[in-house]
Amino acid sequence: MLTKAGWSGFLHHLKERGLKGVELVVSDACMGLSESIGGFYPDARWQRCTVHFYRNVFSHVPSTKVRQVAAMLKAIHASEDLAAAEEKARQVVEKLRTQRLTKAAELVETSVHETITYYHFPEAHWRRIRTNNPLERILREIRRRTRVVGSFPDGNSALNLAAARLRHIAGSGWAAKRYLNMELLKDQKMHTTTA
Protein backbone atom coordinates (compact mmCIF):
# COMPACT_ATOMS: atom_id res chain seq x y z
CA MET A 1 0.00 0.00 0.00
CA LEU A 2 1.37 3.38 -0.99
CA THR A 3 1.77 6.21 1.50
CA LYS A 4 0.81 9.80 0.80
CA ALA A 5 4.38 10.42 -0.41
CA GLY A 6 4.15 7.43 -2.75
CA TRP A 7 0.85 8.59 -4.21
CA SER A 8 2.20 12.14 -4.54
CA GLY A 9 5.13 10.78 -6.53
CA PHE A 10 2.75 8.81 -8.76
CA LEU A 11 0.49 11.83 -9.38
CA HIS A 12 3.53 14.03 -10.02
CA HIS A 13 4.72 11.50 -12.61
CA LEU A 14 1.31 11.52 -14.33
CA LYS A 15 1.22 15.31 -14.38
CA GLU A 16 4.77 15.46 -15.78
CA ARG A 17 3.68 13.07 -18.56
CA GLY A 18 0.91 15.52 -19.49
CA LEU A 19 -2.20 14.24 -17.72
CA LYS A 20 -4.52 17.21 -17.25
CA GLY A 21 -8.20 18.00 -16.87
CA VAL A 22 -8.76 15.37 -14.17
CA GLU A 23 -12.18 15.89 -12.61
CA LEU A 24 -12.73 12.64 -10.72
CA VAL A 25 -10.57 10.00 -9.08
CA VAL A 26 -12.26 6.74 -8.05
CA SER A 27 -10.53 4.42 -5.58
CA ASP A 28 -11.03 2.40 -2.43
CA ALA A 29 -10.45 4.08 0.95
CA CYS A 30 -6.87 4.83 0.01
CA MET A 31 -6.29 7.86 2.21
CA GLY A 32 -2.83 8.61 0.82
CA LEU A 33 -4.32 8.99 -2.65
CA SER A 34 -7.34 11.04 -1.59
CA GLU A 35 -5.09 13.36 0.43
CA SER A 36 -2.65 13.83 -2.48
CA ILE A 37 -5.10 14.57 -5.28
CA GLY A 38 -5.66 18.24 -4.41
CA GLY A 39 -1.95 19.05 -4.62
CA PHE A 40 -1.80 18.03 -8.28
CA TYR A 41 -5.37 18.24 -9.53
CA PRO A 42 -7.13 20.85 -7.37
CA ASP A 43 -10.37 20.69 -9.38
CA ALA A 44 -10.67 16.90 -9.09
CA ARG A 45 -13.15 15.25 -6.76
CA TRP A 46 -12.62 11.90 -5.03
CA GLN A 47 -15.18 9.07 -5.20
CA ARG A 48 -14.79 6.13 -2.82
CA CYS A 49 -15.68 2.87 -4.52
CA THR A 50 -19.15 1.85 -3.31
CA VAL A 51 -18.32 -1.88 -3.58
CA HIS A 52 -15.32 -1.50 -1.26
CA PHE A 53 -17.40 0.63 1.08
CA TYR A 54 -20.09 -2.06 1.27
CA ARG A 55 -17.45 -4.67 2.11
CA ASN A 56 -16.10 -2.41 4.87
CA VAL A 57 -19.59 -2.05 6.34
CA PHE A 58 -20.28 -5.79 6.05
CA SER A 59 -17.19 -6.50 8.16
CA HIS A 60 -19.17 -5.01 11.09
CA VAL A 61 -22.39 -6.92 10.37
CA PRO A 62 -23.29 -10.50 11.33
CA SER A 63 -23.53 -12.78 8.29
CA THR A 64 -27.26 -13.27 8.93
CA LYS A 65 -27.88 -9.55 8.33
CA VAL A 66 -25.56 -8.86 5.40
CA ARG A 67 -28.31 -9.22 2.79
CA GLN A 68 -30.59 -6.80 4.66
CA VAL A 69 -27.80 -4.24 5.16
CA ALA A 70 -26.79 -4.57 1.51
CA ALA A 71 -30.33 -3.63 0.47
CA MET A 72 -30.21 -0.58 2.75
CA LEU A 73 -26.87 0.58 1.33
CA LYS A 74 -28.01 0.02 -2.25
CA ALA A 75 -31.07 2.19 -1.53
CA ILE A 76 -28.73 5.09 -0.70
CA HIS A 77 -26.94 4.75 -4.02
CA ALA A 78 -30.18 4.29 -5.98
CA SER A 79 -31.52 7.68 -4.92
CA GLU A 80 -32.61 10.17 -7.56
CA ASP A 81 -30.24 12.94 -6.46
CA LEU A 82 -27.67 13.95 -3.85
CA ALA A 83 -30.19 15.35 -1.36
CA ALA A 84 -32.25 12.15 -1.48
CA ALA A 85 -29.11 10.04 -1.05
CA GLU A 86 -28.07 12.05 2.01
CA GLU A 87 -31.55 11.70 3.54
CA LYS A 88 -31.60 7.95 2.83
CA ALA A 89 -28.15 7.63 4.42
CA ARG A 90 -29.45 9.34 7.57
CA GLN A 91 -32.37 6.88 7.68
CA VAL A 92 -30.03 3.92 7.19
CA VAL A 93 -27.82 5.10 10.08
CA GLU A 94 -30.88 5.31 12.35
CA LYS A 95 -32.07 1.86 11.29
CA LEU A 96 -28.63 0.32 11.86
CA ARG A 97 -28.55 1.85 15.33
CA THR A 98 -31.99 0.44 16.20
CA GLN A 99 -30.68 -2.98 15.13
CA ARG A 100 -27.67 -2.48 17.43
CA LEU A 101 -25.22 -2.51 14.55
CA THR A 102 -23.35 0.42 16.07
CA LYS A 103 -20.02 0.07 14.27
CA ALA A 104 -21.73 -0.29 10.90
CA ALA A 105 -23.88 2.76 11.68
CA GLU A 106 -20.81 4.80 12.63
CA LEU A 107 -19.01 3.81 9.43
CA VAL A 108 -21.99 4.79 7.28
CA GLU A 109 -22.44 8.05 9.18
CA THR A 110 -18.80 9.12 8.93
CA SER A 111 -17.94 7.84 5.45
CA VAL A 112 -21.01 7.58 3.21
CA HIS A 113 -20.38 11.12 1.91
CA GLU A 114 -17.21 9.75 0.28
CA THR A 115 -19.34 7.33 -1.79
CA ILE A 116 -21.85 9.81 -3.23
CA THR A 117 -19.51 12.18 -5.06
CA TYR A 118 -20.74 10.75 -8.36
CA TYR A 119 -24.01 12.66 -7.94
CA HIS A 120 -22.10 15.81 -9.01
CA PHE A 121 -21.65 14.33 -12.48
CA PRO A 122 -24.11 13.57 -15.31
CA GLU A 123 -26.68 10.94 -14.36
CA ALA A 124 -25.75 8.80 -17.37
CA HIS A 125 -22.25 8.40 -15.84
CA TRP A 126 -23.33 7.43 -12.31
CA ARG A 127 -23.37 3.66 -12.74
CA ARG A 128 -19.87 3.63 -14.23
CA ILE A 129 -18.10 6.08 -11.92
CA ARG A 130 -19.28 4.95 -8.50
CA THR A 131 -16.89 1.98 -8.40
CA ASN A 132 -13.40 1.14 -9.60
CA ASN A 133 -14.48 -2.36 -10.70
CA PRO A 134 -13.39 -2.01 -14.36
CA LEU A 135 -9.80 -1.36 -13.28
CA GLU A 136 -10.00 -4.16 -10.72
CA ARG A 137 -11.16 -6.54 -13.44
CA ILE A 138 -8.02 -5.76 -15.45
CA LEU A 139 -5.77 -6.15 -12.40
CA ARG A 140 -7.43 -9.48 -11.54
CA GLU A 141 -6.67 -10.72 -15.05
CA ILE A 142 -3.01 -9.67 -14.73
CA ARG A 143 -2.82 -11.38 -11.32
CA ARG A 144 -4.28 -14.56 -12.83
CA ARG A 145 -1.65 -14.54 -15.58
CA THR A 146 1.26 -13.95 -13.19
CA ARG A 147 0.10 -16.78 -10.90
CA VAL A 148 0.38 -19.22 -13.80
CA VAL A 149 4.04 -18.30 -14.23
CA GLY A 150 4.70 -18.54 -10.50
CA SER A 151 8.07 -16.87 -10.12
CA PHE A 152 9.90 -14.48 -12.40
CA PRO A 153 13.66 -14.21 -12.88
CA ASP A 154 13.49 -10.45 -12.34
CA GLY A 155 11.10 -7.51 -12.07
CA ASN A 156 11.33 -6.71 -15.76
CA SER A 157 9.96 -10.13 -16.66
CA ALA A 158 6.87 -9.53 -14.51
CA LEU A 159 6.49 -6.03 -15.96
CA ASN A 160 6.75 -7.41 -19.51
CA LEU A 161 3.98 -9.92 -18.83
CA ALA A 162 1.70 -7.22 -17.37
CA ALA A 163 2.47 -4.86 -20.27
CA ALA A 164 1.73 -7.64 -22.79
CA ARG A 165 -1.66 -8.22 -21.18
CA LEU A 166 -2.44 -4.49 -21.24
CA ARG A 167 -1.42 -4.31 -24.93
CA HIS A 168 -3.77 -7.21 -25.65
CA ILE A 169 -6.64 -5.41 -23.89
CA ALA A 170 -5.86 -2.16 -25.72
CA GLY A 171 -5.93 -3.98 -29.05
CA SER A 172 -9.19 -5.81 -28.41
CA GLY A 173 -12.76 -4.69 -29.02
CA TRP A 174 -13.06 -3.94 -25.29
CA ALA A 175 -10.63 -1.04 -25.66
CA ALA A 176 -12.57 0.41 -28.57
CA LYS A 177 -15.74 0.86 -26.53
CA ARG A 178 -16.52 4.33 -25.30
CA TYR A 179 -16.67 4.16 -21.54
CA LEU A 180 -18.22 7.59 -20.91
CA ASN A 181 -19.79 10.18 -23.18
CA MET A 182 -17.77 13.23 -22.20
CA GLU A 183 -20.11 15.53 -24.13
CA LEU A 184 -22.59 15.08 -21.26
CA LEU A 185 -20.00 16.38 -18.81
CA LYS A 186 -19.18 19.34 -21.07
CA ASP A 187 -22.89 20.17 -21.37
CA GLN A 188 -23.35 19.95 -17.59
CA LYS A 189 -20.36 22.26 -16.99
CA MET A 190 -21.64 24.78 -19.54
CA HIS A 191 -25.11 24.71 -17.98
CA THR A 192 -23.62 25.20 -14.49
CA THR A 193 -21.48 28.17 -15.52
CA THR A 194 -24.35 29.92 -17.35
CA ALA A 195 -26.87 29.34 -14.53
Side-chain angles (χ1 to χ4, degrees), residues 6-166:
W7 281 113
S8 292
F10 175 70
L11 293 171
H12 176 74
H13 175 71
L14 291 177
K15 193 157 192 162
E16 288 286 309
R17 289 185 61 199
L19 181 63
K20 58 186 176 186
V22 176
E23 296 198 26
L24 181 68
V25 175
V26 184
S27 73
D28 58 5
C30 194
M31 298 320 295
L33 175 58
S34 64
E35 292 169 357
S36 300
I37 295 166
F40 298 91
Y41 299 102
D43 296 332
R45 296 175 187 260
W46 176 60
Q47 164 70 36
R48 182 173 177 177
C49 175
T50 56
V51 173
H52 284 94
F53 177 69
Y54 290 5
R55 289 179 191 152
N56 295 146
V57 174
F58 297 157
S59 70
H60 301 291
V61 174
S63 59
T64 56
K65 296 200 176 207
V66 167
R67 179 174 272 168
Q68 179 187 10
V69 172
M72 288 191 278
L73 295 174
K74 287 177 183 177
I76 296 169
H77 297 102
S79 299
E80 63 271 9
D81 58 29
L82 181 61
E86 289 170 339
E87 175 58 25
K88 181 51 99 173
R90 190 188 60 71
Q91 293 170 7
V92 166
V93 168
E94 287 177 15
K95 194 168 186 177
L96 290 171
R97 285 205 169 102
T98 62
Q99 294 180 5
R100 297 184 185 169
L101 298 171
T102 310
K103 287 193 176 192
E106 288 171 2
L107 182 57
V108 172
E109 186 173 43
T110 60
S111 302
V112 75
H113 68 280
E114 299 169 347
T115 70
I116 56 179
T117 306
Y118 66 90
Y119 280 106
H120 295 282
F121 293 86
E123 185 176 353
H125 292 182
W126 292 356
R127 188 177 59 83
R128 293 182 182 249
I129 63 175
R130 64 183 175 202
T131 74
N132 60 350
N133 284 351
L135 176 61
E136 295 222 348
R137 207 171 301 125
I138 292 169
L139 295 176
R140 193 168 41 246
E141 176 63 16
I142 290 171
R143 248 183 259 120
R144 186 180 73 79
R145 299 285 176 151
T146 56
R147 279 193 199 114
V148 170
V149 174
S151 63
F152 293 90
D154 57 27
N156 282 337
S157 300
L159 185 60
N160 287 337
L161 178 65
R165 191 65 200 152
L166 291 172

